[in-house]
Amino acid sequence: MLQHARMFPPQQWSELPSGESIRFTVEQTLAPLWPRIFGYYLLNLGFLSADLNKTGLSIQNQYSLYDAPTADIMAELTDLPIQNTAVDAVVMSFLLEFHEDPYRLLRELDRVLIAGGYLIIVGFNPISPLFIGKLLSQYQNTLPWCGRFFTPYRVKDWLGLLGYQVVSDERVLHHHLLSRIMPKKQFWQQRLKAWLPSSGSVYVIVARKLEVPLTPLQSKKPLKQPKWRPAAAGRTGRASSRIKK
């Protein structure tokens, strides 16, 4: 119970170990994506999402939702005051780990997203050096180890159930993040990235909501009646002669 005593997300990048390094790396990873997203409304869930640099994004109407007076919207994450299919893109950074019902949160985001809309999820990967902090008691009640880590594979399974296509899944920062300041890339980090690229401590998943058309049921075709041919006279005669014998 100690490791889950604090279950609320970070409100500033500085609350995370090596927070500025995490922010910079996430911004670099998402930089090629922003020019490809179009629409009218983008929703930033959490302060960390709102604080990301989104150079090249053509969506002018960006709204932020987090627990602070500076947010554009203050509401429960699972009860958004937004109409159905009204948002073109949602950015969510390090929130699934600290929500009591992450799948319900994803369902709520699915409700407000338009068909073809983008869902960008940034989270911590437990299958990485980051998991070391879960094993050390002095870190279990601190960010980010006080949260519940979900593997990227599980997150993608949830998205698949909701009808999303994963556009990209990248793992970055092959480091345990136990130090407050990220050191320069060391040899073991470079080797780990080369040998096990999926073991990055932070995952960045970009998914797109599929537009599934209604497929009409095909009408049942009437069964074709077999065309029985009458037996030939000669064949009947041969059969009769055999019976007589």
Side-chain angles (χ1 to χ4, degrees):
M1 295 299 292
L2 179 62
Q3 61 185 13
H4 299 312
R6 169 180 173 157
M7 280 293 290
F8 53 90
Q11 301 298 316
Q12 302 284 340
W13 287 102
S14 58
E15 295 182 25
L16 294 173
S18 305
E20 286 304 316
S21 296
I22 297 175
R23 173 186 174 180
F24 177 76
T25 305
V26 171
E27 287 178 342
Q28 280 191 319
T29 305
L30 291 175
L33 173 69
W34 304 127
R36 305 205 308 264
I37 297 181
F38 301 94
Y40 298 98
Y41 301 103
L42 180 140
L43 178 63
N44 292 298
L45 286 187
F47 174 83
L48 304 188
S49 301
D51 200 39
L52 287 173
N53 183 10
K54 303 179 182 67
T55 301
L57 180 67
S58 61
I59 298 178
Q60 299 297 323
N61 301 307
Q62 298 187 41
Y63 297 94
S64 59
L65 189 153
Y66 52 90
D67 189 16
T70 54
D72 299 312
I73 305 171
M74 295 183 66
E76 291 292 332
L77 293 177
T78 53
D79 189 17
L80 301 176
I82 301 173
Q83 295 180 353
N84 295 346
T85 63
V87 178
D88 299 279
V90 175
V91 183
M92 179 171 58
S93 303
F94 306 117
L95 288 182
L96 289 181
E97 293 86 351
F98 304 96
H99 198 275
E100 59 183 5
D101 194 343
Y103 186 65
R104 182 183 174 188
L105 172 56
L106 291 176
R107 290 202 310 268
E108 180 67 1
L109 299 182
D110 177 66
R111 180 185 67 81
V112 302
L113 264 176
I114 67 167
Y118 284 88
L119 176 56
I120 298 99
I121 304 175
V122 182
F124 292 110
N125 178 22
I127 309 177
S128 71
L130 181 72
F131 193 76
I132 296 175
K134 284 282 191 181
L135 305 177
L136 302 176
S137 59
Q138 63 267 36
Y139 292 99
Q140 291 177 356
N141 199 36
T142 62
L143 285 169
W145 298 279
C146 57
R148 295 178 298 168
F149 293 168
F150 302 101
T151 66
Y153 306 104
R154 186 172 184 183
V155 176
K156 289 190 290 185
D157 283 343
W158 287 337
L159 293 173
L161 292 174
L162 293 172
Y164 282 74
Q165 178 187 15
V166 175
V167 178
S168 66
D169 172 19
E170 298 191 48
R171 318 291 168 80
V172 296
L173 292 173
H174 295 71
H175 191 270
H176 50 65
L177 301 179
L178 295 177
S179 55
R180 299 301 302 178
I181 300 177
M182 176 76 68
K184 294 182 179 180
K185 289 186 177 180
Q186 300 172 344
F187 175 80
W188 69 269
Q189 291 179 252
Q190 296 174 349
R191 293 296 89 196
L192 186 61
K193 183 178 181 180
W195 296 335
L196 295 172
S198 63
S199 64
S201 295
V202 173
Y203 66 80
V204 181
I205 294 176
V206 179
R208 197 167 190 184
K209 184 176 180 179
L210 296 177
E211 183 175 1
V212 183
L214 294 177
T215 304
L217 295 176
Q218 295 182 354
S219 57
K220 292 183 179 180
K221 296 182 180 180
L223 295 175
K224 292 183 178 180
Q225 297 295 330
K227 296 180 180 180
W228 300 102
R229 293 182 179 181
R235 188 174 181 179
T236 306
R238 289 198 301 270
S240 301
S241 62
R242 290 177 182 177
I243 294 175
K244 288 180 182 178
K245 289 180 180 181

